[in-house]
Amino acid sequence: MNDDPRLGLTVTHRRYVPYGHAHYAGNLVDGAYALALFGDVATEVCIRTDGDEGLFAGYSEVRFVAPIRAGDVLEAQATVVRVGNRSRTLEFVCRVVCRGTGGSAAEVLDPPLVAVTATGTVVVPTGRRVE
């Protein structure tokens, strides 16, 4: 059993999706928007666990399960699920926590709507671990 204190570390970012990012009918935003958020949250994970921004090596799974729209407030979260010598496996989830309902009106989604999930791997240099 790995008792590494980095396991289970969770980092969360929130961001409003501006209308300028809508690419499709219905104010839909492309799925790459969530992947960019995952990159940002993974960077903070690497800084917190290893004192370095790290590099994203790739995704082993990405699932787009609900639409993201301009006017949404998103929550992107990464959790460390495996720690290797230089690699870290992260589980990601992007949730819609608020959604526009027309004009300037919006509502809080309770519970939030899961929009994208993924599993990815980041790598960090050796010897920089934060204690």
Side-chain angles (χ1 to χ4, degrees), residues 108-121:
V108 175
L109 301 184
D110 186 19
L113 174 67
V114 173
V116 183
T117 62
T119 302
T121 302

Side-chain angles (χ1 to χ4, degrees), residues 16-73:
Y16 174 78
V17 182
Y19 280 83
H21 287 267
H23 290 285
Y24 306 103
N27 288 322
L28 290 175
V29 175
D30 61 27
Y33 193 89
L35 299 184
L37 296 179
F38 291 162
D40 290 345
V41 76
T43 297
E44 184 178 345
V45 166
C46 292
I47 291 168
R48 290 185 176 278
T49 59
D50 294 278
D52 189 273
E53 290 183 358
L55 295 170
F56 215 110
Y59 289 103
S60 57
E61 178 182 19
V62 176
R63 293 183 59 230
F64 300 99
V65 295
I68 295 173
R69 293 189 169 95
D72 287 349
V73 175

Side-chain angles (χ1 to χ4, degrees), residues 2-12 45 48-49 77-83 88-91:
N2 191 340
D3 60 352
D4 192 301
R6 295 170 288 188
L7 282 172
L9 172 75
T10 298
V11 173
T12 304
V45 166
R48 290 185 176 278
T49 59
Q77 189 171 68
T79 301
V80 179
V81 296
R82 192 187 73 72
V83 175
R88 315 288 176 251
T89 301
L90 309 176
E91 288 185 354

